[in-house]
Amino acid sequence: MSKDTYTHKLLPGSPGSPLLFVFHGTGGDENQLVSLGRELVPSASIVSPRGDVSEQGAARFFRRTGEGVYDMEDLARATAKMAAFTKAHVEAAKPSTVLGLGYSNGANILASVAFAEPGLFDATVLMHPLIPFEPQVKGSLAGRSVLITAGRRDPICPPNLTSRLEAFLRADGAAVTVEWHDGGHEVRPNEIEAARQLFAGLPVEGA
């Protein structure tokens, strides 16, 4: 396992602090969510990888053949690669808690890694995820906290698929919260506040 399989940004936090991974949306990069991560968990060490797939110049974490139509073979590749990258950073940092936050395409890769490695993240925030397939969770998400945020008029992530993802995660034991707003694919203040509350409510060793 290597900590450098992705181009990434690493912001050190307090010793023994949480480790927060942030995953950008399509067309973003490793800088997109770092300041949000610092705002949400001020003491955390933050790791922000850049997607290794280019879609007409826009960085993504895995390929797709159309809007909402994923290249499942490439998603499997990306999931295994990201899981190994994440584990390498966790092993090196030995953090009190492992957190994940992703937006759009970043939420999708984060969710896919959580399905494959359900014991890896203590809590995840999935902002506007689109999971058009039935997740196959390799284990149990019992004891894991998941926040899903979504727009009721999101043209990219239909509300019915958000609700279906919620049901899948609940069925596998996760403690799931869903935060809606009445808009589209944009991130609104109530989503950020819900993420802050989720992370703030987690026990932190040594606190």
Side-chain angles (χ1 to χ4, degrees), residues 26-185:
T26 298
D29 62 19
E30 65 273 24
N31 299 299
Q32 186 181 50
L33 297 176
V34 168
S35 60
L36 175 60
R38 178 60 77 223
E39 176 189 342
L40 293 175
V41 193
S43 66
S45 294
I46 300 173
V47 179
S48 179
R50 182 198 305 168
D52 61 351
V53 169
S54 175
E55 182 180 87
Q56 298 179 336
R60 285 176 53 84
F61 290 102
F62 57 89
R63 296 185 179 90
R64 61 182 172 181
T65 57
E67 192 69 62
V69 183
Y70 297 164
D71 180 333
M72 297 303 290
E73 185 175 324
D74 194 60
L75 176 57
R77 171 206 65 82
T79 299
K81 180 179 177 181
M82 187 61 77
F85 172 83
T86 304
K87 286 179 181 178
H89 280 274
V90 171
E91 188 176 300
K94 296 180 172 51
S96 59
T97 314
V98 181
L99 312 173
L101 180 147
Y103 166 64
S104 194
N105 181 242
N108 299 337
I109 190 63
L110 173 55
S112 190
V113 171
F115 301 151
E117 300 283 350
L120 188 52
F121 293 97
D122 296 293
T124 53
V125 174
L126 307 175
M127 291 182 159
H128 300 263
L130 173 60
I131 304 297
F133 55 90
E134 183 170 341
Q136 301 297 317
V137 180
K138 297 178 181 176
S140 171
L141 286 165
R144 310 293 161 172
S145 299
V146 181
L147 169 67
I148 302 171
T149 72
R152 296 189 188 280
R153 295 177 176 82
D154 193 331
I156 296 173
C157 304
N160 65 304
L161 291 187
T162 298
S163 298
R164 190 179 75 160
L165 175 61
E166 176 190 4
F168 281 136
L169 293 170
R170 285 192 193 282
D172 208 74
V176 186
T177 304
V178 182
E179 181 72 21
W180 293 94
H181 63 62
D182 288 328
H185 201 58

